[in-house]
Amino acid sequence: MRTEVLPVDPTHPDPDVIARAARVLLRGGLVAFPTETVYGLGALADDAEAIGKIYAAKGRPAYNPLIAHVPGESEARRIAAHWPDTAAQLVRVFWPGPLTVVVPRGPSLPPVLSAGLDTVAIRAPRHPVALALLRAVGRPLAAPSANPSQQLSPTRAEHVIKGLADRIDMVLDAGSTSLGIESTVVDLTRDPPVILRPGSVSLVDLQRIVPEIALHQQHSSSHEPRPSPGLDRKHYAPRARLVIAPRSDLPGLVHSFHPPVGIITRGTPLGVSDARERTLPADAEGYSALLFDTLHSLDDQGCRTVLVEEVPADPAWLAVRDRLERASAT
Ligand code: TXA
Ligand code: MG
C-alpha cells in the first residue's frame, strides 16, 4: 500500500484532515499520529483484526501488549473492568498527559490488545491532534510507538516513514513531538503499584499523589514472568552501536571505532575532530526532547558507533538513563 502523508497543524488541526484519518481507522486501517511523547501507530483498540495489522506492520512479538488511547477518564472507565482509586487519583492530575496506567481489562477489548494478559494499559494523550482524532473516531485506539519493533521511537513523521513506509495507510504529520520520550507506565493492579517504564512523569511526581508507588526492580532470574514485556533489555535501539562513557574518555575513544563515529555531549561541546558531535541541553527535559531525534540523525549519517557522555545519576535523569542503557545493551 502507498502511505499517505497528511500535514496537520499541531495546535489547531484541520477537522477535514482529522475526519479523513478517522475514516481510515474506522475501516480498520492503520494511521500514525503525533502524541506529546512520540508518534503512535493507531488502529481500533476494540477490533482484533485491526490490532493484528499493528503487530504485523511493526514486526512486534505477539507477547508485547499495546496501550489503548482514550480522550479522558470517562472513556477509560468504560474499557477497564475495574477502575482503582489510585487510577482516579493519578489521572485527575496527569491526564491528559504522558502517563499510562495498567488496570484490569474490560470485556469490550479483545485479549490480543493486551497480548492475552487480563490487564490493559490506558493513556489519554494531550497532543491536540491525538485528542481530535480520538474524539472523531469515538472508540479507543491502540497505539504503540510507530516504529519497527525494537528500533528507535519516532519523534517526527519522517522517522515514521523511514521505518514503516508502505506498511501503513496514513501518517498525520504535525512536526516534532514536544517531550520526545515515551510515557511513564505504572501498573496499578499490583500492591504496591509499580512503575514498569520510567517516563516524563517522575516517581516523585507520582508519589506525591500515591505515596506507595515504587520503582520496578529488574530481577536477574529469567524464570520470573515478565511484568511488562516492553522491559526487554534490548529495546529502543538505533542501528549504531551505543557506547556510554564519562566525558573525559570520549576524545580518546573516538579512534577505537570505525568512522564515522557520532558523539553526544551534554551542555558544552567537546569539539573532538573526526567525529560527528551533537550537544544536547544540560537539563533532563531538554535532553529527552532531542535524544531520539539526534540518534535518528546520526544513524542516517551512517555512524556505526555513537559515543554518549554519561548523564547524571539523579532521579530527574531516570527515564533518559533507562533509554540509553537499553539502547546500548548488546
Ligand atoms: O508514549 C507512549 O506511551 C507511546 C505513545 C504512542 O502513546 N506509546 C508507546 O507504546 O510507547 P509502546 O507499545 O511502544 O510501549 C508500550 C509499553 C510496553 O513497554 C508494553 O510492554 C507496556 O507498555 N504495556 C502495555 N500493556 C501492558 C500491560 N497490560 N501490562 C504491562 N505492560 C504493558
Ligand atoms: Mg515502543
Side-chain angles (χ1 to χ4, degrees):
M1 82 184 65
R2 226 183 120 259
T3 303
E4 196 176 1
V5 181
L6 294 186
V8 60
D9 188 282
T11 45
H12 297 98
D14 178 348
D16 293 335
V17 173
I18 296 296
R20 276 176 68 186
R23 276 198 296 276
V24 173
L25 287 163
L26 287 166
R27 294 203 303 265
L30 299 180
V31 175
F33 61 92
T35 79
E36 71 279 23
T37 59
V38 300
Y39 275 73
L41 177 58
L44 295 174
D46 52 8
D47 178 335
E49 201 180 314
I51 293 166
K53 294 183 191 168
I54 291 183
Y55 281 92
K58 281 180 63 86
R60 185 173 176 109
Y63 59 75
N64 197 355
L66 305 177
I67 298 175
H69 293 67
V70 292
E73 186 182 1
S74 57
E75 293 84 359
R77 283 177 182 267
R78 259 180 250 143
I79 58 173
H82 165 67
W83 193 242
D85 291 341
T86 47
Q89 290 156 5
L90 290 171
V91 310
R92 264 168 219 153
V93 177
F94 298 110
W95 276 10
L99 178 69
T100 297
V101 294
V102 174
V103 297
R105 178 168 50 83
S108 67
L109 300 174
V112 59
L113 173 72
S114 303
L117 299 173
D118 54 11
T119 56
V120 60
I122 311 180
R123 161 164 125 83
R126 70 162 174 251
H127 195 294
V129 172
L131 280 172
L133 187 62
L134 286 163
R135 293 205 177 98
V137 170
R139 286 160 67 179
L141 292 178
S145 50
N147 51 280
S149 186
Q150 303 246 312
Q151 296 184 17
L152 270 183
S153 287
T155 59
R156 299 171 182 268
E158 292 85 342
H159 303 156
V160 178
I161 291 298
K162 183 168 74 167
L164 297 175
D166 302 332
R167 295 197 211 172
I168 65 179
D169 297 287
M170 187 181 276
V171 183
L172 292 179
D173 180 358
S176 293
T177 64
S178 56
L179 300 178
I181 211 158
E182 304 86 347
S183 63
T184 304
V185 180
V186 55
D187 186 349
L188 301 178
T189 66
R190 303 215 257 161
D191 192 16
V194 291
I195 294 184
L196 298 177
R197 180 176 72 185
S200 42
V201 178
S202 71
L203 176 63
V204 180
D205 296 337
L206 293 170
Q207 284 177 335
R208 246 181 244 127
I209 314 299
V210 179
E212 56 282 15
I213 291 181
L215 264 187
H216 169 70
Q217 298 300 325
Q218 208 112 31
H219 297 284
S220 46
S221 159
S222 55
H223 300 298
E224 279 192 57
R226 299 178 161 87
S228 182
L231 291 174
D232 280 359
R233 223 164 75 81
K234 172 96 177 158
H235 203 51
Y236 307 109
R239 280 195 301 273
R241 166 165 175 215
L242 222 72
V243 177
I244 304 169
R247 183 176 175 91
S248 54
D249 290 357
L250 298 175
L253 274 173
V254 168
H255 300 287
S256 323
F257 299 98
H258 227 282
V261 173
I263 295 195
I264 299 180
T265 43
R266 200 173 63 84
T268 322
L270 266 173
V272 184
S273 53
D274 302 334
R276 315 268 162 103
E277 181 176 2
R278 301 300 173 81
T279 304
L280 295 183
D283 66 295
E285 210 176 300
Y287 190 105
S288 317
L290 296 173
L291 176 62
F292 289 166
D293 191 41
T294 303
L295 290 171
H296 274 289
S297 105
L298 291 171
D299 257 354
D300 295 345
Q301 292 187 22
C303 292
R304 298 212 209 155
T305 307
V306 176
L307 306 176
V308 184
E309 175 180 350
E310 268 175 0
V311 298
D314 70 87
W317 289 85
L318 184 67
V320 168
R321 277 203 312 281
D322 170 81
R323 302 307 189 276
L324 287 175
E325 278 160 23
R326 282 177 210 289
S328 64
T330 43

